[in-house]
Amino acid sequence: MNDPGLMVMASLADGDKHGYAIMTDVERFAGVKLGPGTLYGAITRLEERGWICGVESDDRRRPYRLTGEGRAQLAEQVGALDRLVKTAARRLKRA
């Protein structure tokens, strides 16, 4: 799975992060390098949906936070992925 929005939300589920920290975290746990355009495009879409929000900071970098609605959306997507993986694994065993 390589949905940038899902990966950004998964990263933020571990705590607030700014863009570069999200990029390095995603690369570490998913093995996917998100370019700046892909990352900030996903961040914009997630903010527009209300799933993440910017957090005030004294630093020049803007951290982001997963909202309650975003956490619920992430849980729903993880559940759907879990069902997909279990179905695929079961069918592979029969093949």
Side-chain angles (χ1 to χ4, degrees):
M1 191 71 183
N2 62 355
D3 176 8
L6 181 60
M7 289 186 277
V8 168
M9 289 193 300
S11 178
L12 293 176
D14 192 39
D16 300 352
K17 294 179 188 69
H18 56 76
Y20 182 75
I22 294 169
M23 276 196 296
T24 57
D25 188 42
V26 166
E27 186 172 358
R28 183 187 53 76
F29 76 73
V32 175
K33 274 190 167 185
L34 296 177
T38 301
L39 173 68
Y40 288 102
I43 286 173
T44 297
R45 287 188 299 278
L46 293 169
E47 280 187 301
E48 288 171 351
R49 293 176 180 150
W51 296 346
I52 68 170
C53 63
V55 179
E56 291 295 320
S57 172
D58 294 334
D59 195 347
R60 65 177 178 81
R61 297 174 291 189
R62 181 178 187 207
Y64 297 91
R65 176 176 292 157
L66 190 62
T67 65
E69 191 176 335
R71 191 167 293 281
Q73 180 63 31
L74 179 59
E76 185 178 314
Q77 290 185 28
V78 167
L81 286 171
D82 185 52
R83 288 187 298 278
L84 171 69
V85 168
K86 286 178 180 175
T87 299
R90 201 171 46 248
R91 290 177 179 179
L92 280 172
K93 286 181 183 177
R94 289 186 272 171

